[in-house]
Amino acid sequence: FSKKTGTFVEKAPVESSVPRLAMQVNGEVGKRPTFTKEKVALIGSGNWGSAIATKIGVNVLQHDAFESEVYMWVFEEYVKLDAQGNWQRPARGAKPPVGKTWVDEGYRPLTEVINELNENVVYLPGIKLPKSIIASPDVKKCVTGATMLVFVIPHNFLAPIVPKMEGAFADGAVGISLIKGIEFEQGKPVLISDLLQKEMSKSEGKMTVDMS
C-alpha cells in the first residue's frame, strides 16, 4: 500500500515465511505488501509497555519471520543509585542547577541504564528485558522501517508523540493498540484505536492507517 497515492501497488514477489495479510483501507480490501522479515517497534515503556516488551522481545528471537531487534520508545528521564542501592529520579518538576545538567549531578539517562542492565529500573524493576529490546528516546528512530507498530502509551501522549514519527514506518505497516482507557467526543465514546488513527493521519504525508 502506498502512503503517497492511497492505493495498492504491485511489487515483485519476495521469498518470505511471513504471511500476507488482507487489510482494508478506505473501504477497499487489498493485500499487505510482503516483507522479507517483520520489524517490530514498541511505542511505550511504562509498567504495561515494559511488561509487553518481555514477551515481544522473546517472541522475535524465537521466530525467523521477525528481525531480532525491537526498538522501544522511552520518554527520557534521569536516574541514579542512592546509598541504599535504589534508583531515584529528580523530584517532579525539579530542574538542575543553573549551568548544570542532570548528568553533571550524577544522574544517567534512563535509556542508557535500560540498555546496559536490560531492565527498566523505574517502571519494571527486578524484571529482566530480553537483549533484543533496545531503548531509545527518539520515536522516529524507533519506528523507521517498522512493519509492526505496537502502541502502549497513555492516550494523552498520542497528540504530542505520534506526529513525531513523521511516517517513517514501512508502507503497509500494521498498527496494534494496547492503550487502555476511552475518550469522548461530543458526548460519545471514541475508541483509542480510532483516536490513534486520527493522530497518525496528521503525520507527514497524511497517510491513512488501519489499526487493530
Side-chain angles (χ1 to χ4, degrees):
F1 181 74
S2 170
K3 293 181 288 190
K4 292 183 179 179
T5 64
T7 61
F8 286 93
V9 295
E10 281 294 322
K11 292 187 178 182
V14 179
E15 289 295 327
S16 172
S17 59
V18 181
R20 295 185 58 150
L21 304 176
M23 59 188 299
Q24 184 171 344
V25 181
N26 293 332
E28 297 183 5
V29 176
K31 288 290 185 179
R32 181 171 178 246
T34 302
F35 301 105
T36 303
K37 286 192 174 185
E38 298 281 4
K39 182 177 182 180
V40 183
L42 181 60
I43 300 91
S45 59
N47 307 89
W48 180 216
S50 295
I52 292 300
T54 66
K55 303 304 180 183
I56 292 178
V58 169
N59 287 342
V60 298
L61 295 176
Q62 292 180 340
H63 300 279
D64 291 337
F66 296 90
E67 291 191 9
S68 60
E69 293 182 342
V70 176
Y71 274 85
M72 177 176 72
W73 176 73
V74 177
F75 178 78
E76 193 70 283
E77 300 179 71
Y78 291 86
V79 297
K80 70 177 179 179
L81 280 172
D82 63 17
Q84 289 72 44
N86 298 313
W87 290 95
Q88 301 292 340
R89 292 174 288 174
R92 185 182 296 274
K95 296 181 179 180
V98 177
K100 299 284 188 177
T101 67
W102 286 123
V103 173
D104 295 329
E105 296 298 300
Y107 290 85
R108 299 175 60 191
L110 178 58
T111 51
E112 181 181 287
V113 175
I114 291 174
N115 290 332
E116 179 183 308
L117 302 180
N118 299 122
E119 178 185 345
N120 190 331
V121 297
V122 172
Y123 295 104
L124 200 64
I127 304 297
K128 288 295 182 181
L129 299 176
K131 292 185 178 180
S132 55
I133 300 296
I134 301 174
S136 173
D138 185 339
V139 70
K140 183 179 180 180
K141 178 180 179 180
C142 289
V143 305
T144 295
T147 64
M148 288 187 175
L149 309 172
V150 182
F151 294 89
V152 202
I153 55 178
H155 60 81
N156 56 304
F157 273 40
L158 292 177
I161 295 303
V162 171
K164 294 180 180 180
M165 297 189 303
E166 297 181 8
F169 45 83
D171 284 349
V174 171
I176 303 166
S177 173
L178 301 180
I179 299 173
K180 299 177 288 185
I182 193 170
E183 280 289 315
F184 291 86
E185 290 184 358
Q186 297 180 347
K188 296 181 179 180
V190 178
L191 294 177
I192 296 298
S193 55
D194 291 339
L195 182 62
L196 181 53
Q197 182 183 51
K198 178 181 177 181
E199 292 299 332
M200 291 184 74
S201 69
K202 298 177 183 178
S203 299
E204 184 176 314
K206 298 184 181 299
M207 74 293 292
T208 298
V209 181
D210 276 324
M211 298 296 303
S212 65

